[in-house]
Amino acid sequence: MEHDAKQPKTAGVLASTAAGGVLGVDAIGFCVAMATLVFSGSLISGLAPGTAVFLLSTFVIALSLQLFSGIKGALGMVQDTSISILAPAVAIAVVGVSGSGDAKFMTALAVLGVSALATGVLFQLVGVFKLGRVVRVLPYPVAAGFLASSGWLLAYAAILISIHAGDMGQILSQVQDPDILTSLLLAGGLALVLLVTMHFRPGVNGVLTVLILAILAFYGICALLGLPLDVARERGFLPLLPSAGEQITLSLDSLSLIDWGQVLVVGPTLAIVVIVNLVGMLLNTGGAELATQTEVDINSELRSTGGANVIIGLMGGIAGYITAGSTAVASQLGAKPQYVGLGFCVTVMLGFFFANQIVAAVPTFIAAGLLLFIGITMLIDWVWNTRRRMTRADWGIVLAILVATAMIGILTAVVAGLIFSLAAFAFSYARIPPIQHNAAAGSRSSPVDRHMHDGEVLRLNAARIQLFELQGYLFFGSVEDLIDAVRDRVKQNTKPSYVILDLANVSGVDSAACSALEKLAERVQRYKVSLHMSAASAETERVMRAWGMKLDGGDGFRLWDNTDAAIEFCENSLLAQEAQMATEAHEPESDWNSPRFAQLKSHMTQVSLAEGDMLISAGEASQDIYFLKSGRLGVYITVQDGRKKRVRSMVDGAIIGELAYYLDLPRSADIVAERASEVFRLDMAQMEALATTEPVLSAELHKLLAQTLAEKVVRMNAFVSDR
């Protein structure tokens, strides 16, 4: 039902109470239909008291919602989602009961009560342990599948009620009876009229009007044809009331009549009923939230609804919870929530006190037609209307559950659907590539400013450091793709010297993945490749260590706290290798400390820094340029919560402050010595003097600064473009 974007004017007290009364009348008809489904055949004598119990159950859940629900004006009643499973369970249980009709009736109430009690306990447990949001992630195709199946079972049961049969195998013989055929056609016609009415005039008013007109038409036709009501009752058009001696009499002594052994027989079926109720309650609560534009604490709703169902179960009632449809209608009418609830509860209680008269007066085709209408509506909602919102695979699961329900039963169908859904999820998840991104580490260099010569060496050898950014959960299926990708890379002519596996986006690993990673380390070592891992979560690291993986480099692995540290280590190792090769080849030194810049250093001031000393403070107006001779400096910025965060580091040969010099900007970060360092400073006066006295040297200096800035821009562009 679509929610009108325009909020209706708030109705008055009388109008709001009347709206609740109308919804209460609808609930009475609903309870009669549900009771007709359960209390049939050998239980027909319990139809009136059974209806009374259903109405009392509706009153309890409605009152609980008025008092405790976070959704103002929330309405609830006994639910149709599980009744299609409970009705056959009740029939099976009472078959083996020997004795009077009272014993059968009490055993039937026990089956209903146990299911409601178990439902209440489960609701309470889920709410107390705050698992409501977890349960809400039940695979949608499975939820839609068993709701559609419930619709099928309701429609199936409605037909059986109309033909007075126990199964569909009797339909051909039964429909040959003109009276039964008439009841079937009347029920089908009523369901069709209700469907058309709901299409053109959504809401409870339209449904209620059709039902009242149908009842009036029935009695009018009986009067017109001169058909006595006793004869109509004998022909099956009205419920066949028990004789005085067959009427059910309830008392505390009646509890001894319950055959608990027969209740245990249907125990497995009741378990699925409880699960269905849980999912149905969560779906209805979500629908009510959407209709009323309210957000509630689902765990609190579960606890209060669970408590109400415990009470219902103890009195032999049927489980109930919030109904999204009636709650939405009340919200659309703009009625005052407290008075809607009042009108609803009062009307339902009146139905409870006059249950015998109501049951005797409502034609059987009304109950069957209403059940058929509800069943068809559920099939339309959860099969037809979901076909475009779901993928073909998900919709196929819905259809499979529906077909399996019709052939082998809803319990097996739902379990099979859940298994299939989980298998489909695992298959889909396995198809997600474990490698989110792979590139040479040059596209994501370490946050370390180096001498230009070192930067050039790293650029020329960027392919020797390969970074694999991984994602998802690494298990036996996905990790094999990773092994193949790394193995193919190290077999290339320009094979890497270092491979880094970034685990920052990995949610977890299993033992099979640990075993496979050990094999990977063994394989890459054959090619003299160093394997590193970084940024693993605490849980991922725990699983790896529990497996026995040595993460300190002993087995070809080395685990780093973060990826920047891993890249910096590999860069330093690569530079050390290149420096060793240059020394052995007697290549001339190429850095700013060479004799070429000896004259430039004579114009600078040397500054010694101890560990922790501040070289530059953020915000200061300084245009000095610094050259780091030795040591290590850290670049720190202030984040929102006032903490200092290191964003880069600087090592030998780094140049500091060229951007502030050229743009005349204040310093953007703190520069702190991370260990003892030697720095050369060139201030503004020295720069101006240099330009006047030694223009050639000044030009070389500006060229060096421009190259440094360009190198930083190129490095940033490479990082951005590789994303």
Side-chain angles (χ1 to χ4, degrees), residues 288-549:
E289 285 179 310
L290 182 63
T292 60
Q293 299 180 352
T294 305
E295 186 174 355
V296 299
D297 180 353
I298 187 61
N299 294 306
S300 176
E301 297 292 315
L302 281 163
R303 290 194 297 272
S304 59
T305 303
N309 275 282
V310 168
I311 296 173
I312 291 171
L314 292 175
M315 66 186 191
I318 185 172
Y321 41 84
I322 189 171
T323 173
S326 297
T327 303
V329 169
S331 176
Q332 283 185 323
L333 293 175
K336 295 180 182 297
Q338 64 273 32
Y339 294 107
V340 171
L342 175 63
F344 184 86
C345 290
V346 168
T347 303
V348 169
M349 279 307 292
L350 287 174
F352 167 74
F353 287 115
F354 296 99
N356 286 335
Q357 293 81 355
I358 292 173
V359 168
V362 175
T364 53
F365 78 88
I366 295 292
L370 184 58
L371 285 176
L372 185 59
F373 160 69
I374 295 170
I376 294 174
T377 300
M378 293 180 70
L379 286 169
I380 293 173
D381 287 342
W382 297 105
V383 179
W384 183 253
N385 291 342
T386 59
R387 73 192 190 286
R388 292 179 180 175
R389 299 201 305 265
M390 293 184 178
T391 64
R392 290 184 178 180
D394 286 347
W395 196 57
I397 293 175
V398 175
L399 293 180
I401 293 175
L402 179 60
V403 172
T405 297
M407 297 179 63
I408 59 178
I410 192 170
L411 176 60
T412 306
V414 170
V415 172
L418 183 60
I419 294 173
F420 186 78
S421 183
L422 293 176
F425 169 77
F427 176 74
S428 299
Y429 196 87
R431 295 176 62 188
I432 299 175
I435 302 173
Q436 183 180 33
H437 186 72
N438 168 231
S443 62
R444 180 184 168 180
S445 58
S446 66
V448 177
D449 288 342
R450 305 177 184 273
H451 187 276
M452 285 183 56
H453 172 263
D454 290 343
E456 183 65 19
V457 171
L458 291 176
R459 278 196 299 276
L460 293 174
N461 293 275
R464 291 177 59 187
I465 303 176
Q466 288 292 319
L467 176 64
F468 291 84
E469 295 179 0
L470 308 184
Q471 64 180 349
Y473 189 88
L474 300 184
F475 60 105
F476 64 92
S478 62
V479 78
E480 289 298 328
D481 294 336
L482 168 64
I483 292 175
D484 292 341
V486 175
R487 183 180 57 200
D488 292 343
R489 186 58 56 89
V490 300
K491 284 184 176 181
Q492 295 177 0
N493 293 331
T494 56
K495 70 179 182 67
S497 300
Y498 310 90
V499 170
I500 303 172
L501 306 181
D502 183 353
L503 307 180
N505 294 320
V506 170
S507 57
V509 297
D510 65 4
S511 56
C514 293
S515 176
L517 288 172
E518 286 183 331
K519 293 179 182 178
L520 175 62
E522 179 184 349
R523 291 177 182 177
V524 298
Q525 280 183 320
R526 299 175 188 173
Y527 295 90
K528 297 182 179 180
V529 175
S530 175
L531 183 63
H532 300 260
M533 294 187 295
S534 64
S537 66
E539 177 61 19
T540 296
E541 181 177 351
R542 185 195 67 78
V543 173
M544 288 179 171
R545 292 191 183 279
W547 175 255
M549 296 173 64

Side-chain angles (χ1 to χ4, degrees), residues 597-659:
F597 292 102
Q599 189 178 4
L600 178 60
K601 289 193 293 183
S602 66
H603 293 271
M604 301 180 186
T605 302
Q606 188 167 354
V607 179
S608 297
L609 299 172
E611 182 178 346
D613 286 352
M614 182 83 72
L615 177 64
I616 292 175
S617 296
E620 67 180 12
S622 170
Q623 292 179 281
D624 296 347
I625 297 175
Y626 299 89
F627 297 81
L628 180 56
K629 177 183 178 182
S630 62
R632 186 182 181 94
L633 303 177
V635 183
Y636 291 82
I637 62 172
T638 303
V639 294
Q640 290 182 345
D641 60 2
R643 293 182 299 105
K644 296 290 186 180
K645 179 181 179 181
R646 189 184 71 173
V647 293
R648 296 193 67 78
S649 294
M650 300 176 180
V651 296
D652 302 1
I655 299 177
I656 306 120
E658 69 278 14
L659 188 62

Side-chain angles (χ1 to χ4, degrees), residues 41 81 91 97 104 144 151 256 276 280 295 313 334 345 415 474 496 550 614 662 685:
T81 307
V97 177
K104 293 180 181 294
S256 62
V276 168
E295 186 174 355
C345 290
V415 172
L474 300 184
K550 295 181 175 62
M614 182 83 72
Y662 280 120

Side-chain angles (χ1 to χ4, degrees), residues 526-713:
R526 299 175 188 173
Y527 295 90
K528 297 182 179 180
V529 175
S530 175
L531 183 63
H532 300 260
M533 294 187 295
S534 64
S537 66
E539 177 61 19
T540 296
E541 181 177 351
R542 185 195 67 78
V543 173
M544 288 179 171
R545 292 191 183 279
W547 175 255
M549 296 173 64
K550 295 181 175 62
L551 304 176
D552 55 0
D555 288 338
F557 289 105
R558 185 161 185 179
L559 179 64
W560 299 87
D561 291 338
N562 57 77
T563 304
D564 290 337
I567 296 175
E568 182 180 352
F569 174 85
C570 295
E571 288 177 347
N572 291 339
S573 299
L574 190 153
L575 289 172
Q577 292 178 10
E578 290 298 309
Q580 178 66 29
M581 293 172 61
T583 300
E584 294 174 355
H586 305 289
E587 293 182 1
E589 184 181 12
S590 177
D591 66 3
W592 71 274
N593 283 320
S594 66
R596 177 185 176 202
F597 292 102
Q599 189 178 4
L600 178 60
K601 289 193 293 183
S602 66
H603 293 271
M604 301 180 186
T605 302
Q606 188 167 354
V607 179
S608 297
L609 299 172
E611 182 178 346
D613 286 352
M614 182 83 72
L615 177 64
I616 292 175
S617 296
E620 67 180 12
S622 170
Q623 292 179 281
D624 296 347
I625 297 175
Y626 299 89
F627 297 81
L628 180 56
K629 177 183 178 182
S630 62
R632 186 182 181 94
L633 303 177
V635 183
Y636 291 82
I637 62 172
T638 303
V639 294
Q640 290 182 345
D641 60 2
R643 293 182 299 105
K644 296 290 186 180
K645 179 181 179 181
R646 189 184 71 173
V647 293
R648 296 193 67 78
S649 294
M650 300 176 180
V651 296
D652 302 1
I655 299 177
I656 306 120
E658 69 278 14
L659 188 62
Y661 169 76
Y662 280 120
L663 298 180
D664 192 19
L665 294 173
R667 302 297 189 180
S668 59
D670 295 332
I671 309 295
V672 181
E674 295 182 333
R675 58 173 180 254
S677 304
E678 294 293 327
V679 178
F680 287 96
R681 182 180 68 211
L682 190 63
D683 60 27
M684 180 62 70
Q686 292 167 326
M687 290 282 288
E688 292 176 351
L690 189 64
T692 302
T693 59
E694 299 187 57
V696 175
L697 184 59
S698 177
E700 289 185 356
L701 173 61
H702 283 286
K703 180 180 179 181
L704 174 63
L705 297 179
Q707 288 175 333
T708 301
L709 280 172
E711 189 274 336
K712 292 178 180 178
V713 172

Side-chain angles (χ1 to χ4, degrees), residues 201-369:
R201 189 180 178 183
V204 68
N205 291 335
V207 173
L208 190 58
T209 301
V210 170
L211 293 177
I212 293 174
L213 291 177
I215 293 173
L216 293 176
F218 170 78
Y219 282 101
I221 292 174
C222 286
L224 184 64
L225 297 178
L227 180 66
L229 295 184
D230 290 340
V231 176
R233 205 175 298 278
E234 292 176 359
R235 295 174 63 177
F237 296 125
L238 286 169
L240 187 61
L241 299 178
S243 62
E246 295 176 337
Q247 291 180 356
I248 300 295
T249 55
L250 299 179
S251 65
L252 290 177
D253 294 336
S254 300
L255 295 175
S256 62
L257 300 176
I258 298 174
D259 188 335
W260 291 106
Q262 290 302 113
V263 176
L264 290 176
V265 168
V266 295
T269 302
L270 299 186
I272 193 65
V273 167
V274 172
I275 300 300
V276 168
N277 284 332
L278 176 60
V279 176
M281 186 270 180
L282 294 174
L283 290 173
N284 273 269
T285 302
E289 285 179 310
L290 182 63
T292 60
Q293 299 180 352
T294 305
E295 186 174 355
V296 299
D297 180 353
I298 187 61
N299 294 306
S300 176
E301 297 292 315
L302 281 163
R303 290 194 297 272
S304 59
T305 303
N309 275 282
V310 168
I311 296 173
I312 291 171
L314 292 175
M315 66 186 191
I318 185 172
Y321 41 84
I322 189 171
T323 173
S326 297
T327 303
V329 169
S331 176
Q332 283 185 323
L333 293 175
K336 295 180 182 297
Q338 64 273 32
Y339 294 107
V340 171
L342 175 63
F344 184 86
C345 290
V346 168
T347 303
V348 169
M349 279 307 292
L350 287 174
F352 167 74
F353 287 115
F354 296 99
N356 286 335
Q357 293 81 355
I358 292 173
V359 168
V362 175
T364 53
F365 78 88
I366 295 292

